[in-house]
Amino acid sequence: MTPIITTPRLTLRLPRKADAEAVRRHLDDFGVAGNLVRVPHPYLLTDAKAWLATRHPSLPPTETSFAMDLADDFSIGTVGFHLNRQGPVIGYWLGRPYWGQGLMTEAARAAVGWFFDSTIHDTLYSGVFHFNAASLAIQRKLGFVEIGRSTMPCLARGEEVEHIDTQLTRSAWMARS
Ligand SMILES: CC(C)(COP(=O)(O)OP(=O)(O)OC[C@H]1O[C@@H](n2cnc3c(N)ncnc32)[C@H](O)[C@@H]1OP(=O)(O)O)[C@@H](O)C(=O)NCCC(=O)NCCS
């Protein structure tokens, strides 16, 4: 079951159908989508609805996404997990009006803590496109370290982009928390 996680300012919970318009509004912004691998630009309401239809409370932790609510502002961003060939990956985005307040650091920290508590995985992977200093700063704060460079497709840009690959080990996380 996708739990409800509360942090000092946020509630993380299962994404639901009613989030569609907020998800569309925030992701239909090249400044957001252009930093993500799998989000097209423009991003339509049908895209948001299709993604929300895949979110179920019974998904395993490695496929779980959380919508982020900030007081009365619901669905301001998403933090979630998926499995790739290497292992579990964390990804996240936040609507532009909410940038620069430490909110994604707060959300990602809570989600990572939940992930390690809920799984036996010893390594969580992530990374950023080479120009995404804010996201790299978040990952460094959580204990992620750079493990290499690769290229990843960016759907919104329609091209491959240099990617800084990162990982966080359970032991590094435990040492910090
Ligand atoms: C990246 C993103 C998640 C940041 O969210 P946020 O809530 O503004 O981030 P936070 O405020 O928690 O932390 C950002 C950190 O980056 C730092 N930062 C911001 N811009 C920076 C820059 N240009 N260079 C270096 N550091 C920068 C901030 O100072 C902050 O660190 P601090 O708390 O030590 O001061 C948000 O801008 C976003 O969703 N962008 C589009 C999608 C995206 O990039 N997703 C991640 C893909 S890997």
Side-chain angles (χ1 to χ4, degrees), residues 31-33 35-36 92-95 98-106 126-129 132-135 137-139 141:
V32 176
N35 288 294
L36 301 170
Y92 44 82
W93 61 265
L94 182 66
Y98 306 95
W99 292 1
Q101 303 169 48
L103 287 169
M104 191 49 83
T105 302
E106 191 171 313
S126 194
V128 302
F129 288 146
N132 197 343
S135 185
I138 292 174
Q139 293 181 24
K141 279 190 282 182

Side-chain angles (χ1 to χ4, degrees), residues 8-9 34 38-39 61 71 83 102 109-110 113-114 118 138 144 151 163 171:
R9 291 177 292 176
R38 300 183 293 180
V39 175
L83 268 182
R109 184 171 281 134
W114 169 80
S118 309
I138 292 174
F144 282 84
T151 58
H163 190 259
S171 54

